[in-house]
C-alpha cells in the first residue's frame, strides 16, 4: 500500500514550491512571453488539478497533450501525474493516421492543444471514430470562433490554488509516449512514477545531465519527445529556472532566449545546433552564460564538439531511447582521460558515452556471444535498469521481439572501447550484411557526407543473390555540385579509407533524404523501392563487389 514515501513525482513539485518559490519560469508562448515563479506555478498546477477533477478525470485516466514547449504545457507535466492520471504527450509531426491510431490506442479523453497546432489536430480528428467523445482544451486565453474547445485560462480560472496531492503507488503510470515507428505502427511506452523518479535522480548525478539551483535550463528538444528528455522534471527537482522556447523556435529565437534569459543548460538534436552555429556565422551572439549543451537523438559530429569548446561551452553527447525515459549514456570525459591529448578526448566525447549510474548493459554478437570491449568488435546493445520499460503498451508481439530475460534489446549495434565508451555503429535493421561481414551504413553515410559537394547521403542494404546484401548510396548533391563528376569523386574518396567490398554497388542522386517524424533518416521507403536487386545491376563499379571466397 502506498504510504506517502513512494518514488513519485510529488516531492519534486513540493521541493520547487517550498524551497525555490521565487525562481522563475519563462516561456515564449504564442500570445507573448509568460513569466512567473515556482510559487505561482504550484498554484496554477493546483488549479489545473482541480479543473481536471471537475472535468471527471480520475486516477488512471489518460490525458493527452498536442503542444510545443511552453509553460502551460509544463503545468500539465506535474498536475496530471500528481493527481494519479497519466500524461500522454503526442508528437504533432506524425501523420494523421498515426495520430488517430495513438489517440484510440491510448484511449485519451481530454487533449490539451497548442493554438498553432489546432488546425493540424482538427484535420486528424475530422470525421474520425477514434476522436469520438474526446474533449479539447486550447492552450491560451481564448478560443477563436469555429473551434470546439475550451480556453485553458478559462478551464482553470475559478479553481482553488491548493490541492491535496494524494499518495500514489509508484507503479502507477505517470506518462506515456509513442515511439515514432519507423517500422509498423507506433508502440506505446508507459512511464511509471518510479521510472520518472529514478530517471530524474540519475540524471541529477554528476555523470548524468546535472542541473542545479543556479542553472537556467532551456529544453529545445520537444516536450512531446520523451518528456523533453526528462528535463522539466530534472530542472524542477534541481530548483533551476526554466525557459521554454515555444512554438517552432528558429535559431534566432534560441539565440535571443540564451542571451536574454542567461541560459546555462540546453538540449536538442544535432540539427538544432547546426542551425544555431550557422546563425552565429552571420550574427554576433553572446553564448557566455552557456555551460552545457546536451546533444542526442542522432550522433553529434566532432566538429560540433570543437565549435562549442571554442566558445567555452561543454557539449555532452547523450544516447537514449523512448523505451529508456530516455537517457542511457552520456559522453562525460572519465577522470583517467583528463591528461590525454585534446584530439583523443574529442574522439572519446564524440562517442555515445558511458552508461549513467543505475543502468547495466551487455553487447551480444551474431553468434549470441558477448563482444570484447576493444572498440572494434560489434554487436547489439542490451540494457536494463529502473527506468527502462519492461514492455510495450498492449503489444505482446513487439514485447517478444524487443525484450529478453529482463533486458531491452535496443536495436542499436555498438562497439565498446576499453574505457567502457559505447559507440553506435548502426541500427540493427540498417547494418548491411555482405558476404558474412557487416558494413556500417552510418559510417558509409558519414564518409560520403564528408565530400564538400554532398548535402546529405543515406545508405541502405539491397538484397543480393550472392552476397546476401550490398550497400547502395543515395546522395543529395549540394547546390554547386558537378553531377557529372560527383559519383567518381565519392568513389575515389571512399577507396582511400575503405576496403573495396565496403564500396556501394551504386550511388544514386535523390532530391531529399526522407525523414521520420523525429527528423531521422527514414530508410523504409528507399528499402521498399530497392527491394528488387535487379534495379542496381549494371551499375556496379568493377572493383566494388567483395572478393569471392566461395
Ligand atoms: P525514434 O525511433 O522515434 O527515433 P527514439 O527517439 O526512441 O525513437 O530513438 C532512439 C534511437 O535514436 C536510438 O536507439 C538510436 O538509434 C538513436 N540515437 C539516440 N541518441 C543517439 C546518439 N547520440 N547518437 C546516435 N544515435 C542516437
Amino acid at each position: 500500500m502506498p504510504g506517502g514515501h513512494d518514488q513519485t513525482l510529488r516531492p519534486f513539485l513540493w521541493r520547487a514550491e517550498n524551497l525555490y518559490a521565487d525562481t522563475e519560469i519563462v516561456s515564449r508562448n504564442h500570445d507573448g512571453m509568460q513569466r512567473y515563479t515556482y510559487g505561482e506555478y504550484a498554484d496554477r498546477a493546483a488549479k489545473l488539478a482541480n479543473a481536471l477533477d471537475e472535468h471527471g478525470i480520475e486516477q488512471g485516466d489518460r490525458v493527452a497533450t498536442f503542444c510545443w514547449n511552453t509553460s502551460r504545457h509544463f503545468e500539465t507535466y506535474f498536475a496530471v501525474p500528481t493527481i494519479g492520471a497519466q500524461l500522454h504527450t503526442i508528437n504533432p509531426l506524425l501523420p494523421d493516421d498515426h495520430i488517430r491510431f495513438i489517440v484510440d490506442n491510448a484511449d485519451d479523453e481530454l487533449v490539451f492543444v497548442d493554438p498553432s497546432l489546432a488546425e493540424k489536430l482538427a484535420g486528424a480528428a475530422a470525421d474520425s471514430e477514434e476522436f469520438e467523445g474526446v474533449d479539447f482544451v486550447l492552450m491560451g486565453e481564448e478560443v477563436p470562433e469555429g473551434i470546439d474547445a475550451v480556453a485553458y485560462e478559462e478551464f482553470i480560472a475559478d479553481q482553488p490554488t491548493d490541492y491535496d496531492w494524494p499518495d500514489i503507488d509508484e507503479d502507477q503510470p505517470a506518462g506515456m509516449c509513442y515511439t515514432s515507428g519507423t517500422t509498423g505502427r507506433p508502440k506505446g511506452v508507459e512511464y511509471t512514477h518510479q521510472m520518472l523518479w529514478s530517471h530524474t535522480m540519475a540524471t541529477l548525478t554528476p555523470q548524468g545531465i546535472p542541473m542545479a539551483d543556479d542553472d537556467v535550463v532551456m529544453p529545445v528538444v520537444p516536450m512531446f519527445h520523451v518528456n523533453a528528455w526528462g528535463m522539466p522534471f530534472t530542472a524542477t527537482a534541481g530548483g533551476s529556472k526554466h525557459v521554454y522556447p515555444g512554438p517552432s523556435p528558429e535559431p534566432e529565437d534560441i539565440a535571443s532566449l540564451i542571451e536574454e534569459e542567461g541560459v546555462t543548460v540546453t538540449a536538442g538534436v544535432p540539427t538544432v545546433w547546426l542551425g544555431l552555429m550557422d546563425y552565429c556565422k552571420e550574427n554576433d551572439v553572446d553564448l557566455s552564460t552557456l555551460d552545457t549543451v546536451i546533444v542526442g537523438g542522432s550522433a553529434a559530429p566532432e566538429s560540433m564538439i570543437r565549435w562549442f569548446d571554442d566558445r567555452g561551452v561543454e557539449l555532452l553527447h547523450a544516447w537514449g531511447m523512448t523505451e529508456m525515459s530516455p537517457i542511457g549514456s552520456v559522453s562525460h570525459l572519465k577522470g583517467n582521460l583528463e591528461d590525454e591529448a585534446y584530439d583523443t578526448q574529442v574522439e572519446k566525447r564524440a562517442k555515445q558515452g558511458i552508461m549513467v549510474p543505475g543502468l547495466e548493459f551487455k553487447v551480444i554478437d551474431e553468434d549470441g556471444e558477448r563482444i570484447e570491449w576493444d572498440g572494434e568488435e560489434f554487436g547489439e546493445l542490451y540494457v536494463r535498469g529502473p527506468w527502462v520499460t519492461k514492455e510495450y503498451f498492449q503489444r505482446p508481439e513487439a514485447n517478444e521481439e524487443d525484450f529478453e530475460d529482463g533486458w531491452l534489446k535496443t536495436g542499436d549495434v555498438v562497439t565498446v572501447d576499453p574505457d567502457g565508451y559505447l559507440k553506435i555503429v548502426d541500427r540493427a535493421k540498417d547494418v548491411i550484411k555482405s558476404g558474412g561481414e557487416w558494413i556500417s551504413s552510418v559510417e558509409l553515410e558519414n564518409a560520403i557526407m564528408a565530400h564538400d559537394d554532398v548535402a546529405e547521403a543515406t545508405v541502405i542494404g539491397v538484397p543480393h543473390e550472392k552476397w546476401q546484401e550490398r550497400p547502395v548510396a543515395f546522395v543529395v548533391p549540394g547546390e554547386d555540385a558537378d553531377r557529372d563528376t560527383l559519383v567518381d569523386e565519392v568513389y575515389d574518396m571512399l577507396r582511400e579509407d575503405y576496403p573495396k567490398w565496403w564500396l556501394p554497388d551504386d550511388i544514386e542522386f535523390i532530391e531529399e533524404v526522407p525523414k521520420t517524424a523525429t527528423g531521422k533518416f527514414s530508410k523504409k521507403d528507399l528499402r521498399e523501392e530497392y527491394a528488387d536487386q535487379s534495379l542496381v545491376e549494371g551499375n556496379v563499379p568493377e572493383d566494388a563487389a567483395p572478393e569471392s571466397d566461395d
Side-chain angles (χ1 to χ4, degrees):
M1 286 296 288
H5 310 296
D6 276 9
Q7 296 180 354
T8 70
L9 295 175
R10 187 178 65 188
F12 301 143
L13 176 60
W14 177 89
R15 189 169 193 273
E17 179 181 6
N18 291 287
L19 302 190
Y20 296 105
D22 296 332
T23 297
E24 272 187 316
I25 293 163
V26 181
S27 179
R28 177 180 157 267
N29 292 357
H30 75 285
D31 49 1
M33 293 298 279
Q34 189 173 31
R35 183 182 294 274
Y36 55 61
T37 61
Y38 273 130
E40 288 163 280
Y41 173 83
D43 287 353
R44 287 173 62 85
K47 287 174 104 172
L48 175 56
N50 284 305
L52 291 169
D53 279 357
E54 194 174 301
H55 191 81
I57 299 295
E58 294 182 353
Q59 292 211 356
D61 286 350
R62 256 173 234 112
V63 174
T65 62
F66 200 76
C67 295
W68 299 113
N69 294 12
T70 65
S71 44
R72 291 189 181 106
H73 196 184
F74 176 47
E75 287 163 16
T76 67
Y77 262 53
F78 275 97
V80 174
T82 313
I83 65 169
Q86 195 177 350
L87 178 75
H88 168 211
T89 54
I90 304 177
N91 181 344
L93 307 178
L94 289 173
D96 286 354
D97 58 333
H98 282 199
I99 294 170
R100 283 192 287 271
F101 165 78
I102 284 176
V103 166
D104 187 43
N105 187 241
D107 205 9
D108 295 322
E109 300 184 10
L110 183 63
V111 186
F112 289 85
V113 192
D114 194 278
S116 62
L117 295 166
E119 203 175 315
K120 162 80 181 165
L121 189 64
D127 303 323
S128 79
E129 282 176 9
E130 292 87 346
F131 273 84
E132 262 171 34
V134 176
D135 294 319
F136 301 97
V137 178
L138 201 71
M139 290 304 212
E141 306 269 355
E142 51 196 42
V143 178
E145 228 167 279
I147 296 187
D148 185 14
V150 63
Y152 183 82
E153 294 302 330
E154 194 186 320
F155 188 67
I156 65 169
D158 300 326
Q159 300 295 340
T161 53
D162 48 36
Y163 191 92
D164 191 12
W165 304 105
D167 290 343
I168 291 171
D169 189 318
E170 64 192 19
D171 292 330
Q172 162 71 33
M176 185 176 199
C177 188
Y178 281 76
T179 65
S180 65
T182 36
T183 50
R185 284 179 295 144
K187 292 177 277 194
V189 176
E190 292 194 291
Y191 305 118
T192 63
H193 275 268
Q194 173 275 322
M195 285 166 74
L196 296 182
W197 187 92
S198 55
H199 182 267
T200 304
M201 297 305 279
T203 47
L204 276 174
T205 64
Q207 291 194 326
I209 47 171
M211 295 165 205
D213 56 9
D214 55 357
D215 276 315
V216 179
V217 175
M218 177 167 74
V220 178
V221 52
M223 289 167 79
F224 54 74
H225 198 183
V226 209
N227 306 317
W229 300 345
M231 289 174 88
F233 297 125
T234 314
T236 307
S240 319
K241 170 176 165 182
H242 298 226
V243 178
Y244 291 101
S248 319
E250 296 293 330
E252 178 185 353
D253 303 312
I254 292 170
S256 69
L257 285 168
I258 292 172
E259 286 183 330
E260 282 160 28
E261 301 302 332
V263 171
T264 62
V265 180
T266 180
V269 294
T271 39
V272 167
W273 309 116
L274 290 171
L276 182 71
M277 287 158 68
D278 229 27
Y279 180 79
C280 288
K281 272 190 213 152
E282 308 287 323
N283 300 277
D284 191 15
V285 182
D286 178 7
L287 299 177
S288 61
T289 58
L290 212 50
D291 291 328
T292 313
V293 174
I294 299 147
V295 184
S298 358
E302 274 191 34
S303 54
M304 191 179 279
I305 299 178
R306 291 173 194 272
W307 189 91
F308 277 108
D309 274 347
D310 288 345
R311 285 153 186 83
V313 181
E314 186 184 22
L315 185 155
L316 286 180
H317 188 201
W319 166 87
M321 295 177 75
T322 305
E323 289 84 341
M324 300 177 66
S325 310
I327 305 288
S329 61
V330 184
S331 217
H332 288 281
L333 201 62
K334 283 173 85 173
N336 63 327
L337 299 169
E338 265 162 26
D339 296 332
E340 293 286 340
Y342 178 65
D343 285 353
T344 314
Q345 292 182 344
V346 172
E347 204 181 300
K348 285 278 185 195
R349 291 166 57 206
K351 297 188 178 193
Q352 278 70 15
I354 48 177
M355 281 288 160
V356 300
L359 295 177
E360 293 169 281
F361 76 88
K362 61 178 182 180
V363 182
I364 304 295
D365 70 12
E366 270 205 308
D367 304 322
E369 303 293 332
R370 289 188 191 226
I371 61 154
E372 285 291 326
W373 287 20
D374 58 3
E376 297 286 332
E377 282 189 28
F378 47 91
E380 184 176 357
L381 175 64
Y382 288 52
V383 292
R384 66 181 178 197
W387 57 92
V388 181
T389 193
K390 309 286 180 293
E391 59 183 358
Y392 292 111
F393 180 67
Q394 296 179 352
R395 290 292 287 280
E397 81 301 343
N399 289 343
E400 213 146 287
E401 225 171 82
D402 291 352
F403 299 91
E404 196 179 283
D405 300 332
W407 295 90
L408 166 72
K409 297 161 79 175
T410 64
D412 283 330
V413 176
V414 302
T415 60
V416 188
D417 68 21
D419 288 306
Y421 283 76
L422 298 167
K423 179 170 180 204
I424 298 199
V425 181
D426 216 334
R427 296 286 293 163
K429 62 181 187 313
D430 293 340
V431 79
I432 299 156
K433 299 170 185 93
S434 177
E437 297 292 336
W438 284 10
I439 297 173
S440 159
S441 68
V442 173
E443 189 160 344
L444 272 182
E445 284 163 6
N446 289 339
I448 296 171
M449 285 193 280
H451 191 292
D452 285 344
D453 289 330
V454 172
E456 275 183 338
T458 189
V459 175
I460 61 167
V462 168
H464 191 284
E465 243 173 46
K466 185 168 173 191
W467 302 115
Q468 186 183 359
E469 277 184 343
R470 291 291 304 142
V472 170
F474 297 86
V475 165
V476 181
E479 272 175 21
D480 304 326
D482 178 346
R483 293 181 176 225
D484 293 333
T485 57
L486 185 57
V487 168
D488 286 339
E489 287 171 27
V490 170
Y491 274 123
D492 286 345
M493 208 179 75
L494 293 178
R495 272 190 200 101
E496 278 177 24
D497 291 323
Y498 294 97
K500 54 189 177 185
W501 60 274
W502 270 60
L503 301 192
D505 276 20
D506 192 13
I507 297 181
E508 301 234 342
F509 291 147
I510 50 172
E511 291 317 308
E512 197 188 346
V513 176
K515 311 266 176 6
T516 67
T518 50
K520 298 180 188 174
F521 286 180
S522 167
K523 306 191 183 186
K524 196 173 69 168
D525 296 344
L526 291 171
R527 220 180 255 128
E528 276 165 17
E529 199 177 323
Y530 286 82
D532 176 1
Q533 119 247 9
S534 64
L535 277 171
V536 296
E537 257 174 34
N539 288 325
V540 189
E542 269 180 12
D543 60 353
E547 295 282 334
S548 168
D549 53 10
D550 59 359

